[in-house]
Amino acid sequence: MEKFEKVHGVAAPMPLINIDTDMIIPKVHLKTIKRSGLGVVLFDEMRYHDDGQENPEFVLNKPAYREADILVAGDNFGCGSSREHAPWAIKDFGIKVVISTSFADIFFNNCFKNGILPIVVNEEHHAILMDDAHKGENARMTVNLEDQQITTSDGHVIEFDIDPHRKHCLLNGLDDIGLTMEKDHHIDKFEEHASQARPWV
Amino acid sequence: MSPKTLYDKIWDAHVAHEADDGTCLLYIDRHLVHEVTSPQAFEGLRMAGRPVRAPEKTIAVPDHNVPTTPDRVNGIENPESRIQVEALDKNAKDFGIHYYPVNDVRQGIVHIVGPEQGWTLPGMTVVCGDSHTATHGAFGALAHGIGTSEVEHVLATQTLIQKKSKNMKVEITGKLQPGVTAKDITLAVIGETGTAGGTGYVIEYCGEAIRNLSMEGRMTVCNMAIEGGARAGLIAPDETTFEYVKGRPHAPKGAQWEAAMDWWKTLYTDEGAHFDKVVTIRGEDIAPVVTWGTSPEDVLPITATVPHPEDFEGGKVDAARRSIEYMGLQAGQKLSDVEIDTVFIGSCTNGRIEDLRAAAEILKGKKIKDGMRAMVVPGSGLVRMQAEEEGLADIFKEAGFEWRLAGCSMCLAMNPDQLQPGERCAATSNRNFEGRQGRGGRTHLLSPAMAAAAAITGRLTDVRELM
């Protein structure tokens, strides 16, 4: 996985709450056996009309936000289906950071596996960031994972929390499976113990 | 020793390694796999030259995009769906995992097949690349959905990197009123807590009304724990659980059964154990419910009216306005006046034998409304067979329902079973999101008995009027 670098770019506002993974990527696009190329169908049903034409009202179709790097979204972002196609599509579109007041659990986990940084902020900070995102393409936000800081276009600094293990993995682009395999002997030992304690499993 | 919750006990029994910061490697006892969220994971294994670490604990079945019409025995017409199912056929064979192919009578929705075949047992950790894995919590198993990267991680290492969630208790006291089912319980809970109310928690459902549910009902309740945002839902195993499990093909037998029972009987929350959040609902207060909006938290008794967006606060005002518009409803309209054109009975929420019995009970000797499109999609080939033996299939067919083969079907509409824009469906499934059952389709979630009632009258209907 690529290392997560400092992000300086446009943030797109999506204040709607409970944006579910069916909205992020509808099921018609889950029939792929690949991970790549899903950016074009990100938010498919909101982004395009029934005839396939772009909906100019949708935020990512507006000139200011077509190249957005950051998404500032409403509460409970990513609820619903476990489909990892949702973060794959977000990443493929070019968004590297999603900011909300809360995320659904599985989506939150899936982001880290794909080099996307989901940031949880409180309501007060969320309102500041949402306002900043509404300013458009000249208002660039900076997200610095190393220092755990978001800087708005007018220099307001907001600090955020992140699990230290996940931060380490993102910053160094570490592959979870490789890391876990280094602990193989612990898994062997567990299996040996479990096969005695619960032989029916 | 300090008192533990059921979740604490199962968690503690599965930690293979704990780092100083509390990050754990959680050992996984059962890994269920389906065709949609696994191809990229198997591809990852191939690229890295890795085997499946525990193929004997890995069970695969195609369900999400298989057609449910009888002609599927001749193959899957949609090329993309066919490729995904063929990829699973090949991956199951190449990696040596247990497999129920499309035309095996035991095929069905992965969350129905697992328990039915005795793969799901109390005290286990169970994962699947599907959010409704929470279903298996009905057995007192710690079960939750994972993404495809985690599917690959479990295939390769039989573990997951996890941090422990918090404990939440949802107690349903007392008895349910006639016409009120497990589906109404689980929807009512989400209506109370909201779709993010369980985020960061594992829920244990308890109380008299939960105890009195069958295993099928308990699975319905736990299935929708994810819709309340929880990582998993749990119900402590008891005699109802043991009776269901006993004799299933992959359940322990003989001395192993006795040994398993000794442990299973310790799987309950100790007196005085700490819960970080507690929700209590009186069973008597739960009515037959339906959803009016596009979030599973948009739940109201069937006797209620569509709310006004201004009744809400914060971001929910805009969300409710958007929902009401999408659903083509009017604030203040009686829910029982909402006309529907489609009825779907099935899914991992309500595709089990008891669900079909409940719907058939209402439909017996009646016909569905003229012009209504109604289908029953049993959760597995074995549920289908049992329903045929019990005469339920005949009741459905005589009433005017289509009688389909097993699969996820119109719950997520990845196969040909879809709504057209503007069509309105009474569905026993779990999600009413925009476009969930087909682009522009409108979904009202309800119980199987309520779905049957709606099929007869052509509108959302209080099932108690037909009882």
Side-chain angles (χ1 to χ4, degrees), chain A residues 100-119:
Chain A
S100 180
T101 41
S102 78
F103 292 89
D105 187 48
I106 303 175
F107 176 82
F108 189 72
N109 284 329
N110 284 341
C111 282
F112 289 100
K113 313 291 180 192
N114 293 283
I116 299 168
L117 172 62
I119 302 177

Side-chain angles (χ1 to χ4, degrees), chain B residues 122-178:
Chain B
M124 280 184 163
T125 45
V126 181
V127 296
C128 174
D130 186 278
S131 57
H132 292 110
T133 310
T135 312
H136 308 264
F139 292 79
L142 178 58
H144 59 88
I146 53 178
T148 299
S149 296
E150 290 181 315
V151 169
E152 186 179 340
H153 193 280
V154 177
L155 289 172
T157 70
Q158 206 56 30
T159 64
L160 266 186
I161 301 172
Q162 291 266 293
K163 275 206 170 162
K164 203 175 168 198
S165 303
K166 290 182 281 186
N167 279 289
M168 175 168 171
K169 176 161 94 170
V170 172
E171 186 176 16
I172 314 293
T173 63
K175 294 194 167 50
L176 299 178
Q177 304 278 8

Side-chain angles (χ1 to χ4, degrees), chain B residues 226-408:
Chain B
I226 181 68
E227 258 50 75
R231 176 168 295 173
L234 284 171
I235 295 174
D238 60 11
E239 287 306 321
T240 306
T241 322
F242 306 141
E243 200 176 311
Y244 179 97
V245 168
K246 197 167 190 178
R248 303 229 163 229
H250 296 278
K253 309 206 162 45
Q256 293 226 342
W257 173 264
E258 299 305 325
M261 283 286 281
D262 284 346
W263 190 55
W264 293 347
K265 286 181 175 170
T266 69
L267 297 175
Y268 54 81
T269 291
D270 295 331
E271 184 102 15
H274 176 72
F275 284 94
D276 303 279
K277 189 171 179 178
V278 178
V279 172
T280 306
I281 297 176
R282 275 167 34 99
E284 292 83 357
D285 291 345
I286 302 174
V289 293
V290 294
T291 61
W292 53 267
T294 56
S295 167
E297 70 190 14
D298 299 339
V299 175
L300 282 171
I302 178 65
T303 48
T305 55
V306 177
H308 291 265
E310 299 74 32
D311 297 344
F312 298 95
E313 286 175 4
K316 190 69 189 173
V317 177
D318 282 344
R321 192 171 291 125
R322 184 183 167 99
S323 281
I324 290 169
E325 191 190 327
Y326 179 87
M327 292 296 289
L329 300 172
Q330 301 294 326
Q333 181 180 2
K334 281 173 74 175
L335 285 168
S336 57
D337 285 344
V338 175
E339 292 187 0
I340 51 143
D341 42 53
T342 309
V343 171
F344 168 63
I345 296 177
S347 85
C348 58
T349 314
N350 283 128
R352 285 169 285 268
I353 190 70
E354 189 180 278
D355 302 314
L356 305 195
R357 285 181 193 140
E361 178 74 27
I362 301 297
L363 287 166
K364 200 169 185 175
K366 299 200 174 73
K367 297 275 183 208
I368 62 172
K369 185 147 193 244
D370 277 350
M372 178 75 58
R373 173 190 183 200
M375 65 167 83
V376 184
V377 184
S380 72
L382 293 177
V383 169
R384 186 173 195 270
M385 211 163 80
Q386 188 178 351
E388 286 175 348
E389 283 166 8
E390 291 184 14
L392 309 179
D394 291 333
I395 295 175
F396 285 117
K397 285 189 269 190
E398 281 160 21
F401 272 78
E402 292 179 58
W403 180 244
R404 296 295 191 91
L405 298 177
C408 298

Side-chain angles (χ1 to χ4, degrees), chain A residues 175-182, chain B residues 41-53 94-95 152-153 155-157:
Chain A
D175 157 39
D176 276 347
I177 296 178
L179 283 179
T180 298
M181 285 190 140
E182 288 171 12
Chain B
F42 283 111
E43 188 59 20
L45 290 187
R46 277 202 186 84
M47 307 247 291
R50 289 167 177 152
V52 172
R53 182 180 170 107
D94 288 358
F95 289 92
E152 186 179 340
H153 193 280
L155 289 172
T157 70

Side-chain angles (χ1 to χ4, degrees), chain B residues 341-342 373 416 418-424 437-442:
Chain B
D341 42 53
T342 309
R373 173 190 183 200
Q418 301 183 9
L419 294 182
Q420 295 304 308
E423 283 187 335
R424 187 183 297 282
Q437 295 193 284
R439 189 175 176 128
R442 295 159 171 166

